Amino acid sequence: MLLDTFVVRTLLVPALVHDIGAPVWWPSRLARADGPAPRHSAETAVGICRPPRKLGVMIQGIVVRENGAAIEEFDESFIPDGDVLVDVDWSDLNYKDGLAVTGRPGVVRTTPLVAGIDLVGTVVESTNPRWGVGDTLILNGAGLSETKHGGYATRARVDGERAVAVPDGLTAEQCAALGTAGYTAALAVMRIVSEGLTPADGPVLVTGATGGVGSIATMLLATAGFHVAAVTGRAEEHGDYLRDLGAAELIDRSALSEAGRPLQKASWCAVVDSVGGEVLANAIARTSPGGVVAACGLAGSTSLPTTVMPFILRGVTLAGIDSVWAPLDDRADAWRLLARGVDTDRLAAMTTRIGLADVIAAGGELLAGRRHGRTLVELS
């Protein structure tokens, strides 16, 4: 193990979790107490496929084709790839889901494809020794709704190697409500703290604060004791919502939306950004020496109109957060952090529940800025 990896996993990040709860979850391994250990029965040891619960089951799901997305009915032959077959109980709605189900480019790379970048469900068949019939698993990203059939279906076949178990402290439904947004927020917070930053170093800026990633990041950071400066374009409408999540300060989006100087007054020690563009550029320009900017989204723009000056004159770190292909250990650690840092009552209050038939319309609302917080999709 590299020295920096050892330091991050054994010394720095546990400090955050100590603020949130007992630091008992680091480092992580496949056979942890909160996840299913490798199974050693005679059946799974030789990789024998468990028989499916029922043959000929028809599946309902949202299928993206070249001419758009719609709910279709299909059988298991439509979803042939993966070593674990899952009855999907829950999914959720993220920005990428909104793009996929409304026919926008940038997410779905092959058609036809079942949409949905997240799923939480019950295993009904497995050739993967990590998972057995009846286990509940979570899978976020890992190619779902990009090149692999995703979670907007009543049944899915997935790669079990990147799936994790529901952590102690959260239910399957709560995990689905958090989804990729919560998991990405946790990865971003972990990245910031891995650089040794603490609440004593100053405020943390959260852009897109009323969105899924921003909302959960605000909650996690506030729970850990950080002063959170939340960016929103509608402070009058969403101010109470953000303060209830733990935001100590509201910043109007207009203050960061126009082109600014490459170096500005240092205002925060770290940033969680899900917007991109001028907002991200200005956030970087106002980050303190030695600060960390965790970039994890492009809701505003894919561009980054900045210079090298914040990086070479202030030593600012721009850290990309890859929630799609994060390794299994990081996934499990992120979910344990969510279990300790999320107020489940607040999560419930910020979550709207819809069915599969409502997803396409809700995706359009999300892209238009008419949805905030989290949207839970019930499939069972």
Side-chain angles (χ1 to χ4, degrees):
M1 179 181 291
L2 296 176
L3 177 59
D4 60 344
T5 302
F6 173 81
V7 172
V8 167
R9 288 191 174 275
T10 59
L11 299 178
L12 297 179
V13 179
L16 171 64
V17 183
H18 185 272
D19 288 335
I20 293 176
V24 298
W25 51 277
W26 201 281
S28 53
R29 288 294 180 265
L30 298 185
R32 295 186 237 204
D34 68 329
R39 297 172 182 271
H40 303 293
S41 69
E43 181 182 13
T44 57
V46 295
I48 296 176
C49 178
R50 297 176 185 265
R53 184 171 54 193
K54 188 185 296 184
L55 296 175
V57 171
M58 296 305 293
I59 302 165
Q60 278 197 331
I62 296 178
V63 179
V64 180
R65 299 185 182 272
E66 291 186 2
N67 60 346
I71 294 179
E72 298 184 16
E73 191 172 77
F74 47 88
D75 61 25
E76 290 177 14
S77 65
F78 189 76
I79 50 169
D81 299 325
D83 55 12
V84 181
L85 185 65
V86 179
D87 273 346
V88 182
D89 299 313
W90 309 96
S91 187
D92 60 294
L93 183 67
N94 302 281
Y95 186 81
K96 289 172 67 174
D97 294 316
L99 293 174
V101 300
T102 58
R104 282 13 179 236
V107 178
V108 177
R109 301 178 187 175
T110 184
T111 57
L113 197 71
V114 177
I117 65 172
D118 294 326
L119 63 82
V120 178
T122 306
V123 175
V124 295
E125 176 185 328
S126 175
T127 58
N128 187 310
R130 295 186 61 233
W131 302 100
V133 172
D135 289 339
T136 301
L137 60 73
I138 309 165
L139 185 59
N140 309 110
L144 297 184
S145 192
E146 296 181 357
T147 58
K148 300 180 180 181
H149 293 297
Y152 286 162
T154 52
R155 180 167 281 194
R157 191 176 288 277
V158 301
D159 177 7
E161 284 306 305
R162 292 185 185 268
V164 299
V166 174
D168 292 340
L170 292 174
T171 66
E173 180 178 347
Q174 290 165 343
C175 290
L178 289 163
T180 278
Y183 151 68
T184 302
L187 290 175
V189 172
M190 287 164 53
R191 184 67 176 86
I192 288 169
V193 177
S194 74
E195 296 292 330
L197 296 176
T198 71
D201 293 308
V204 178
L205 183 76
V206 177
T207 70
T210 60
V213 174
S215 295
I216 303 303
T218 297
M219 189 187 305
L220 290 175
L221 289 163
T223 302
F226 285 92
H227 177 106
V228 178
V231 179
T232 177
R234 292 175 287 181
E236 290 186 3
E237 181 180 353
H238 298 309
D240 290 342
Y241 166 79
L242 291 170
R243 293 186 189 94
D244 186 59
L245 293 178
E249 176 184 359
L250 301 183
I251 294 178
D252 194 282
R253 186 170 56 219
S254 62
L256 299 169
S257 297
E258 302 298 327
R261 299 189 309 277
L263 275 182
Q264 302 171 34
K265 179 182 178 182
S267 302
W268 34 75
C269 72
V271 179
V272 176
D273 176 73
S274 57
V275 177
E278 295 289 357
V279 171
L280 176 55
N282 283 306
I284 293 170
R286 293 178 61 179
T287 300
S288 301
V292 179
V293 179
C296 55
L298 42 73
S301 174
T302 60
S303 69
L304 181 53
T306 189
T307 73
V308 299
M309 292 176 66
F311 311 116
I312 65 174
L313 297 181
R314 288 183 177 170
V316 171
T317 296
L318 178 59
I321 305 301
D322 177 12
S323 60
V324 176
W325 296 111
L328 181 58
D329 283 357
D330 288 350
R331 290 170 180 266
D333 291 335
W335 277 105
R336 266 187 295 278
L337 178 58
L338 289 166
R340 296 189 180 278
V342 168
D343 183 319
T344 55
D345 290 334
R346 287 177 174 169
L347 176 63
M350 64 185 279
T351 300
T352 303
R353 183 191 302 252
I354 63 174
L356 187 66
D358 305 312
V359 168
I360 295 175
E365 294 170 359
L366 179 64
L367 297 185
R370 297 196 300 272
R371 278 184 175 266
H372 69 275
R374 300 295 297 137
T375 300
L376 178 69
V377 180
E378 185 172 6
L379 288 147
S380 58

